[in-house]
Amino acid sequence: MEYLDAAFQYFGYESFHEFAFWVAKNPYEFLVSVMIVLTPMFIISGILAFYLLKAIEKEEREKKKREKRLQNIKEDQDPGDKPKSGKKAKSHSAKKGKKSQKAD
């Protein structure tokens, strides 16, 4: 307990027992002192937790975007599918033929 006594001597008490008696005699003063010390730490902890939450949410959104982008790239590169430009060209030429028939 010598290391504790050294710590309490730093704060102006001869030993842990003297500090314990002070706490027993003045519990409200002790609790107020503890709350004064802990309140800023709780506030800082809450702020940092909020920033961490936002960073995690942002990372999850970016991950979903990357996965969706990769999925779209895989769908475009699938060898079994016909190219999109070919589908558009066929439908485009078919429309031209119908228009020319209407004009006749």
Side-chain angles (χ1 to χ4, degrees):
M1 295 276 293
E2 290 179 17
Y3 59 92
L4 280 177
D5 287 340
F8 287 107
Q9 286 175 359
Y10 178 77
F11 291 106
Y13 297 101
E14 292 296 321
S15 66
F16 173 75
H17 299 292
E18 185 180 339
F19 176 74
F21 286 127
W22 175 76
V23 171
K25 289 179 183 177
N26 304 314
Y28 294 112
E29 187 177 338
F30 171 72
L31 290 176
V32 168
S33 300
V34 169
M35 292 307 293
I36 288 172
V37 171
L38 292 181
T39 299
M41 293 181 191
F42 283 133
I43 291 171
I44 291 169
S45 175
I47 291 169
L48 292 175
F50 177 75
Y51 284 136
L52 179 63
L53 174 69
K54 292 298 179 182
I56 290 171
E57 287 176 351
K58 183 179 179 182
E59 186 176 315
E60 288 176 354
R61 283 189 304 240
E62 290 174 357
K63 185 177 178 182
K64 285 181 183 180
K65 285 181 183 179
R66 276 184 266 143
E67 288 176 358
K68 189 174 181 180
R69 188 180 323 127
L70 288 173
Q71 184 181 6
N72 288 338
I73 290 171
K74 285 181 182 179
E75 288 176 1
D76 289 344
Q77 293 179 351
D78 190 14
D81 290 342
K82 295 179 182 177
K84 290 183 178 179
S85 61
K87 289 180 181 178
K88 289 182 180 177
K90 289 179 183 177
S91 63
H92 187 61
S93 63
K95 288 181 181 178
K96 281 186 176 179
K98 288 181 182 178
K99 286 182 182 177
S100 63
Q101 289 175 0
K102 288 180 181 178
D104 291 335

